[in-house]
């Protein structure tokens, strides 16, 4: 059990280090927006979703209604439901319902990818080590960024604030260059978002609902126009990576 836990923690180190940098920027942005370091830490310690937290922070600072914030973060994080359903077929059958409920909190994109690449069932100790390591990086990075933000020069804070946009570009550009539907989805999302930003009447709609409409509308259109073939959906994760 201990060996499995340590192996999970070891596999989580690369994810942890990546999360520290992103969470550092989030913590810094929270403090610069007027939130206390404690509030920034609480947000990251009760959430584990970068895109959802950045969107939620933007809406929170815009005094958006709680319902709007909740629906927006729900739409952004809806992918975790699909990943959890898939991961539930991979975990050890001996894992209890309580263990599944607790460990599901740490099911991020990267955690899911690491678990699906494991040979054999994913045990509770392994998943616990993986999740705790990743959680430490996200929470610790936020606390670090919120704590030292005031001591950093203005030029450094501005550069770090722009770094988050570079991270999102690094996420979407590689697949957009390889997969045509992804490129269409990115361009269409940008076009619809710009329409809501510049059009005289549409620009009155709050940011939260714009995110919801763009995400749901574009995703639905892409799923209708470019459905994934059945043979690709049924292909095991390992084989798909190898191809």
């Amino acid at each position: 059990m201990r060996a499995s836990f340590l192996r999970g923690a070891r596999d989580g180190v690369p994810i942890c280090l990546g999360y520290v940098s992103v969470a550092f920027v989030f913590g810094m942005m929270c403090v610069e927006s007027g939130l206390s370091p404690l509030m920034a830490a609480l947000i990251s310690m009760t959430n584990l979703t970068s895109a959802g937290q950045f969107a939620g922070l933007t809406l929170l600072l815009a005094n958006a209604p709680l319902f709007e914030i909740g629906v927006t973060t729900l739409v952004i994080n809806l992918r975790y439901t699909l990943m959890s359903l898939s991961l539930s077929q991979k975990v050890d059958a001996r894992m209890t319902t309580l263990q599944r409920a607790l460990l599901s909190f740490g099911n991020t994109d990267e955690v899911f990818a690491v678990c699906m690449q494991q040979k054999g069932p994913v045990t509770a100790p392994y998943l616990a080590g993986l999740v705790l390591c990743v959680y430490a990086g996200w929470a610790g990075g936020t606390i670090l960024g919120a704590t030292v933000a005031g001591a950093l020069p203005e030029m450094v804070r501005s550069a770090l604030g722009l770094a988050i946009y570079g991270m999102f570009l690094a996420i979407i550009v590689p697949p957009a260059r390889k997969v045509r539907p992804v490129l269409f989805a990115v361009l269409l999302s940008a076009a619809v978002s710009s329409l809501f930003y510049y059009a005289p009447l549409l620009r009155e709609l709050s940011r939260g609902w714009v995110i919801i409409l763009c995400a749901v509308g574009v995703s639905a259109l892409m799923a209708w126009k470019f459905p994934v073939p059945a043979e690709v959906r049924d292909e095991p994760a390992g084989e798909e990576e190898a191809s």
Side-chain angles (χ1 to χ4, degrees):
M1 181 179 296
R2 180 181 178 183
S4 183
F5 177 87
L6 293 177
R7 186 167 62 88
R10 181 197 63 195
D11 291 347
V13 169
I15 305 175
C16 172
L17 296 177
Y19 278 8
V20 167
S21 59
V22 180
F24 183 94
V25 176
F26 177 76
M28 184 192 68
M29 291 179 64
C30 284
V31 173
E32 287 197 333
S33 300
L35 301 181
S36 67
L38 177 60
M39 294 177 67
L42 287 176
I43 291 175
S44 282
M45 293 178 70
T46 55
N47 296 270
L48 194 57
T49 163
S50 58
Q53 287 183 217
F54 279 103
L57 176 63
T58 301
L59 296 176
L60 182 65
L61 297 176
N63 294 319
L66 292 179
F67 175 76
E68 181 178 328
I69 298 176
V71 174
T72 302
T73 53
L74 174 65
V75 170
I76 293 176
N77 298 328
L78 200 59
R79 67 189 187 279
Y80 294 131
T81 302
L82 302 177
M83 288 190 292
S84 294
L85 289 173
S86 180
L87 184 58
S88 67
Q89 309 301 311
K90 178 72 174 177
V91 298
D92 191 347
R94 294 171 296 180
M95 190 180 296
T96 65
T97 301
L98 179 59
Q99 289 173 332
R100 290 170 182 255
L102 292 175
L103 294 175
S104 64
F105 173 77
N107 184 25
T108 65
D109 304 69
E110 295 76 12
V111 169
F112 172 77
V114 170
C115 288
M116 296 305 292
Q117 292 175 4
Q118 298 302 308
K119 295 182 179 179
V122 176
T123 63
Y126 175 86
L127 187 55
L130 179 62
V131 168
L132 286 177
C133 183
V134 169
Y135 179 77
W138 185 253
T142 301
I143 295 173
L144 182 62
T147 303
V148 306
L152 295 176
E154 176 63 28
M155 182 180 299
V156 175
R157 295 201 302 269
S158 299
L160 289 174
L162 293 175
I164 189 63
Y165 299 104
M167 183 201 72
F168 286 124
L169 286 175
I171 293 175
I172 64 175
V173 169
R177 294 179 61 184
K178 298 178 180 179
V179 184
R180 186 70 58 87
V182 175
L183 176 61
F184 291 160
V186 171
L187 295 178
L188 183 58
S189 298
V192 173
S193 180
S194 299
L195 180 64
F196 277 101
Y197 186 82
Y198 291 107
L201 294 179
L202 296 178
R203 66 185 304 176
E204 302 299 325
L205 194 64
S206 64
R207 294 182 180 180
W209 291 114
V210 171
I211 294 175
I212 294 170
L213 292 174
C214 287
V216 175
V218 173
S219 298
L221 180 61
M222 291 298 104
W224 173 53
K225 296 295 292 183
F226 303 100
V228 178
E231 58 271 16
V232 176
R233 291 198 304 266
D234 297 336
E235 186 177 354
E239 297 180 8
E240 185 176 357
E241 291 292 333
S243 60

